[in-house]
């Protein structure tokens, strides 16, 4: 009977208790500091709190809605009036589903049955600022069309900050086009500078979150920042334009001259795929997008990377890691200049509404497949003012493509090509894919190629022009072949410790048959420009060892000459990159040494103290 009366009482209390009306509850926005606010910036960390006019008779689940979509929830305990959600990111609150801006929004709350119980006052939402990150051998001027009152960003109501523009502290050093021999920062050092700049933008705007829009090498710098430098998440999304997630073979040209080191080593395929991508994997919830230029589809028109590509970055490099990629028919240097790129790719991402944001997980480790291109060695030299230099490059038989790329820091020389027949070949865009890039930030200057080239010695003459500097200019030429012999190289590790033995192996084959190698070298270029050469023994499946004596990033060019079945010589080169790790015990050894010295000094002090005290005692006895 007692249980019956108790149950009846509970039932009557539920019936008699009037339903909670919307007007009897209020919603409060709480900022990161725990203070109520009615103004936020898109992406801020906030909490939502609901407070009822009276205590709830039983636990109540409250759903908070934005644009009729549940964004978070909390539970009001029995007998309590309020509950507060966990902190969350207000990403996409400034934009509606049609990418239209909204400066004021309302948050609603409903019970578990879907009945609305509260509605907030109008909340002011400002858009996130955009941080623009330039790439290799570049500067903030890359983003001239994006910033300013008439820029792309201003046209949709966004404020842009180009790293290095002096709006806030922080500058990158990815190479000085007017002094190519000057050392660059490493990716890690540039990521620290990016962090300083982002901090300045947040302080200046009051925002907690920024969008990163980046070009080329700016993608690697931004990835490092997100994975290793960023403390609390402050990047909403990473929007990349032509960022080579798998590197670019074109980078071997300036590196061979000791230019733009160490950045020109870090762009190598071997470094990006074998070193960087194996270590820089954390995304901290940030989604990655990358736009690939795919203007080049014919191999003979592609000077130094696989097809399709944007001249220097291949589509396969864009997709070397899991991300969301898109394509546009354009070349690399135009990606920051094209209004179509902004309208069709960048703008839709910057104006996403809240329901499209998801937390990106760290990717599962994937195998890294390098480009199938086979290069001959990089030919380097100097052209004097008013003079010329001639090279002889041997073209093997059985090749389907031979493609040439010339790097000349002054962008001033001309080239004359004589085929194996001895005749001058008139280069044209249609027949040879001839291209001349006057962009000083490009990885090459001239490019051209040939389908089914006639085997034999080809003569390449580089001739100065009236634009060539008075002290002349250095150059580098790479040639890749398709078809013919293949060089396979292996390093026992690409991330050794100091003094750890690195075993380098090389195998040259033609049609699956291993060829005899009569000469082979490993040319090791330190990031400070110094060069070391290691010799291989002759034979098949040859190897040598290297013991790095100091930490740093090294280019390792393995150049081999083999003998074809018909007795002719074949030359091939593979371009590796090795990052030698600092000695992890060095700091510990130094600390241990300090401790030992301290103990010795303390012991010596104590010994001298007791000797002095003994002498004092003896002196007193003598006096007495």
């Amino acid at each position: 009977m007692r249980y019956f009366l108790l149950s009846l009482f509970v039932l009557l209390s539920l019936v008699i208790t009037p339903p909670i009306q919307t007007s009897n509850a209020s919603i409060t926005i709480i900022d990161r500091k725990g203070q109520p606010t009615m103004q936020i910036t898109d992406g801020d960390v906030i909490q939502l709190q609901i407070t009822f006019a009276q205590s709830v008779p039983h636990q109540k689940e409250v759903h908070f809605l934005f644009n009729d979509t549940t964004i978070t929830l909390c539970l009001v305990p029995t007998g309590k009036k309020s509950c507060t959600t966990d902190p969350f990111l207000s990403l996409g609150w400034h934009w509606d589903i049609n990418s239209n801006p909204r400066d004021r929004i309302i948050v609603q709350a409903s019970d578990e049955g879907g009945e609305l119980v509260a509605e907030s006052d109008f909340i002011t939402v400002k858009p996130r600022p955009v941080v623009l990150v330039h790439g290799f051998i570049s500067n903030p001027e890359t983003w001239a069309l994006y910033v300013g009152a008439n820029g792309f960003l201003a046209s949709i109501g966004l404020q842009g900050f180009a790293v290095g523009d002096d709006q806030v502290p922080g500058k990158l050093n990815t190479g000085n086009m007017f002094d190519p021999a000057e050392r660059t920062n490493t990716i890690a050092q540039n990521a620290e500078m990016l962090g300083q700049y982002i901090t300045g933008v947040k302080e200046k705007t009051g925002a907690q979150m920024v969008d990163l829009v980046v070009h080329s090498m700016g993608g690697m710098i931004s990835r490092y920042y997100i994975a290793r430098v960023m403390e609390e998440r402050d990047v909403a999304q990473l929007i990349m334009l032509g960022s080579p997630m798998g590197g670019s073979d074109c980078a071997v040209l300036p590196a061979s001259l000791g230019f733009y080191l160490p950045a020109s080593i870090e762009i190598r395929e071997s470094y990006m795929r074998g070193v960087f991508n194996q270590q820089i994997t954390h995304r901290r919830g940030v989604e990655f997008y990358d736009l690939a230029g795919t203007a080049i589809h014919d191999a003979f028109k592609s000077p130094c990377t696989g097809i399709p590509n944007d001249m220097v970055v291949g589509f396969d490099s864009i997709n070397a890691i899991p991300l969301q990629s898109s394509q546009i028919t354009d070349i690399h240097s135009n990606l920051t200049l094209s209004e179509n790129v902004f309208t069709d790719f960048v703008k839709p991402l910057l104006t996403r509404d809240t329901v499209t944001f998801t937390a990106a997980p760290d990717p599962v480790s994937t195998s890294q497949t390098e480009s199938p291109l086979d290069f001959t060695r990089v030919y380097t030299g100097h052209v004097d003012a008013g003079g010329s230099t001639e090279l002889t490059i041997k073209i093997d038989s059985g090749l389907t493509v031979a493609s040439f790329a010339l790097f000349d820091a002054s962008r001033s020389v001309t080239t004359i090509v004589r085929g194996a027949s001895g005749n001058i070949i008139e280069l044209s865009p249609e027949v040879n894919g001839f291209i001349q890039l006057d962009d000083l930030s490009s990885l090459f200057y001239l490019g051209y190629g040939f389908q089914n080239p006639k085997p034999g010695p080809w003569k390449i003459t580089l001739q100065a022009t009236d634009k060539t500097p008075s002290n002349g200019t250095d150059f580098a030429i790479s040639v890749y072949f398709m078809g013919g012999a293949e060089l396979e190289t292996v390093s026992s590790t690409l991330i050794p410790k100091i003094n750890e033995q690195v075993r380098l192996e090389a195998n040259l084959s033609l049609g699956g048959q291993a060829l005899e190698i009569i000469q082979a070298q490993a040319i090791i270029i330190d990031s400070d420009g110094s060069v070391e050469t290691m010799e291989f023994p002759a034979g098949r499946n040859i190897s040598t060892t290297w013991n790095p004596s100091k930490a740093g990033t090294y280019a390792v060019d393995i150049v081999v000459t083999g003998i074809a079945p018909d007795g002719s010589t074949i030359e091939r080169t593979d371009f590796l990159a090795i990052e030698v790790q600092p000695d992890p015990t060095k700091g510990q050894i130094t600390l241990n040494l300090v401790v030992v010295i301290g103990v010795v000094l303390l012991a010596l002090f104590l010994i001298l103290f007791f000797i002095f005290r003994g002498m004092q005692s003896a002196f007193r006895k003598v006096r007495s």
Side-chain angles (χ1 to χ4, degrees):
M1 186 65 178
R2 183 177 58 183
Y3 293 112
F4 172 76
L5 292 174
L6 179 60
S7 299
L8 182 61
F9 174 78
V10 171
L11 180 61
L12 288 172
S13 66
L14 292 176
V15 172
I16 295 171
T17 302
I20 298 172
Q21 302 297 324
T22 300
S23 60
N24 291 332
S26 61
I27 297 175
T28 304
I29 313 299
I30 300 174
D31 66 18
R32 177 178 276 178
K33 297 179 181 179
Q35 300 300 312
T37 184
M38 295 305 294
Q39 177 175 300
I40 64 172
T41 300
D42 191 312
D44 283 359
V45 175
I46 62 172
Q47 293 173 277
L48 297 177
Q49 183 181 77
I50 188 166
T51 303
F52 293 100
Q54 60 190 46
S55 301
V56 297
H58 56 87
Q59 178 176 278
K60 191 172 190 65
E61 183 177 284
V62 178
H63 294 247
F64 292 94
L65 297 93
F66 182 60
N67 281 356
D68 298 324
T69 301
T70 298
I71 50 176
T72 186
L73 56 83
C74 66
L75 297 174
V76 183
T78 301
K80 300 295 183 180
K81 293 183 178 181
S82 68
C83 67
T84 305
T85 69
D86 291 333
F88 66 96
L89 301 175
S90 58
L91 285 171
W93 282 32
H94 180 73
W95 305 97
D96 68 19
I97 196 169
N98 297 314
S99 296
N100 296 315
R102 51 189 172 201
D103 297 324
R104 298 199 304 167
I105 60 100
I106 290 176
V107 174
Q108 297 175 320
S110 69
D111 60 20
E112 53 265 48
E115 181 181 350
L116 287 179
V117 295
E119 196 170 71
S120 73
D121 293 331
F122 279 109
I123 304 162
T124 301
V125 184
K126 298 190 298 183
R128 296 184 304 274
V130 179
V131 172
L132 305 154
V133 188
H134 66 75
F136 184 57
I137 328 176
S138 192
N139 56 57
E141 291 302 313
T142 295
W143 303 106
L145 294 181
Y146 275 71
V147 298
N150 299 315
F152 293 156
L153 294 176
S155 70
I156 56 172
L158 296 181
Q159 189 174 6
F161 296 82
V163 180
D165 62 5
D166 295 324
Q167 290 193 71
V168 297
K171 292 182 183 294
L172 308 181
N173 178 3
T174 59
N176 179 356
M177 63 182 69
F178 301 108
D179 186 4
E182 179 184 295
R183 299 282 81 80
T184 72
N185 285 346
T186 62
I187 290 176
Q189 289 168 335
N190 278 322
E192 292 286 347
M193 294 298 100
L194 174 58
Q196 180 184 3
Y197 191 88
I198 290 174
T199 297
V201 170
K202 292 191 299 180
E203 291 175 350
K204 184 169 183 174
T205 63
Q208 297 173 19
M209 195 77 65
V210 303
D211 287 313
L212 291 182
V213 177
V214 310
H215 181 235
S216 194
M217 194 177 196
M220 290 102 99
I221 295 167
S222 299
R223 279 180 59 193
Y224 194 100
Y225 169 75
I226 291 167
R228 295 281 181 88
V229 180
M230 184 174 70
E231 296 178 359
E232 293 182 311
R233 180 178 171 184
D234 55 17
V235 175
Q237 57 188 330
L238 175 57
I239 303 170
M240 297 178 278
L241 308 178
S243 290
M245 299 293 95
S248 171
D249 283 323
C250 302
V252 304
L253 289 161
S256 67
L257 296 172
F259 288 171
Y260 309 118
L261 301 175
S264 57
I265 300 176
E266 293 176 319
I267 299 176
R268 284 189 172 200
E269 277 210 21
S270 179
Y271 181 84
M272 283 301 300
R273 296 179 186 269
V275 178
F276 192 86
N277 289 346
Q278 305 306 315
Q279 301 179 77
I280 308 305
T281 57
H282 297 307
R283 302 203 176 175
R284 315 283 293 280
V286 180
E287 294 173 274
F288 290 5
Y289 299 86
D290 205 349
L291 178 65
T294 52
I296 308 302
H297 288 266
D298 297 315
F300 74 94
K301 294 181 179 180
S302 174
C304 43
T305 193
I307 54 172
N309 62 63
D310 65 7
M311 285 293 178
V312 294
V313 177
F315 185 65
D316 66 323
S317 179
I318 295 289
N319 291 281
I321 63 171
L323 47 67
Q324 300 178 64
S325 66
S326 301
Q327 300 181 48
I328 189 170
T329 306
D330 217 331
I331 63 173
H332 192 74
S333 58
N334 283 351
L335 294 178
T336 61
L337 306 175
S338 168
E339 187 171 359
N340 287 339
V341 167
F342 176 77
T343 302
D344 298 339
F345 181 72
V346 178
K347 177 182 174 181
L349 292 173
L350 293 178
T351 58
R352 297 164 63 194
D353 78 322
T354 186
V355 297
T356 63
F357 278 94
T358 58
D362 291 343
V364 177
S365 179
T366 57
S367 60
Q368 297 285 306
T369 304
E370 293 193 27
S371 168
L373 305 181
D374 278 283
F375 285 79
T376 185
R377 67 184 174 91
V378 177
Y379 297 83
T380 59
H382 186 83
V383 178
D384 293 325
S388 63
T389 298
E390 186 178 84
L391 302 172
T392 299
I393 299 176
K394 183 177 179 298
I395 301 294
D396 309 335
S397 59
L399 299 179
T400 57
V401 170
S403 195
F404 295 68
L406 164 67
F407 177 85
D408 160 27
S410 70
R411 264 56 177 181
S412 67
V413 301
T414 60
T415 185
I416 300 172
V417 178
R418 288 181 171 84
S421 63
N423 298 324
I424 294 177
I425 299 174
E426 296 294 334
L427 303 176
S428 72
E430 296 76 23
V431 178
N432 312 106
F434 178 79
I435 186 170
Q436 178 175 313
L437 298 178
D438 293 323
D439 177 11
L440 294 179
S441 65
S442 176
L443 289 169
F444 71 92
Y445 168 48
L446 298 177
Y448 48 90
F450 305 90
Q451 295 189 86
N452 304 312
K454 184 175 182 179
W458 286 51
K459 303 289 186 181
I460 310 297
T461 302
L462 303 177
Q463 192 167 327
T465 66
D466 56 2
K467 296 181 180 179
T468 302
S470 59
N471 59 347
T473 185
D474 294 329
F475 69 85
I477 293 178
S478 68
V479 189
Y480 78 75
F481 300 144
M482 297 185 70
E486 299 177 356
L487 173 64
E488 181 182 1
T489 63
V490 176
S491 174
S492 58
T493 176
L494 295 176
I495 316 173
K497 300 180 180 66
I498 293 175
N499 294 321
E500 178 183 350
Q501 187 178 85
V502 179
R503 183 178 179 85
L504 302 171
E505 301 178 3
N507 174 50
L508 185 65
S509 63
L510 180 62
Q513 177 184 349
L515 301 181
E516 184 77 14
I517 297 174
I518 59 174
Q519 185 178 10
Q521 294 179 324
I523 302 170
I524 302 170
I525 306 173
D526 194 346
S527 56
D528 64 7
S530 59
V531 180
E532 177 184 1
T533 301
M534 307 285 300
E535 299 291 338
F536 286 78
R540 291 183 171 86
N541 300 316
I542 59 176
S543 66
T544 189
T545 58
W546 173 54
N547 292 77
S549 60
K550 67 174 186 176
T553 305
Y554 296 81
V556 180
D557 297 354
I558 298 180
V559 186
V560 307
T561 302
I563 300 295
D566 63 2
S568 63
T569 58
I570 294 176
E571 186 178 68
R572 293 290 186 272
T573 299
D574 208 359
F575 306 104
L576 304 181
I578 293 178
E579 186 172 81
V580 181
Q581 305 298 297
D583 187 349
T585 65
K586 186 175 181 180
Q588 186 62 44
I589 291 172
T590 302
L591 178 60
N592 292 342
L593 185 60
V594 170
V595 172
V596 169
I597 292 173
V599 171
V600 171
L601 291 175
L602 178 60
L604 182 61
F605 171 78
L606 292 174
I607 291 171
L608 293 174
F609 175 77
F610 286 115
I611 291 175
F612 179 72
R613 289 291 297 273
M615 292 176 64
Q616 279 186 322
S617 178
F619 181 70
R620 287 195 208 96
K621 288 180 181 179
V622 170
R623 289 189 63 181
S624 63

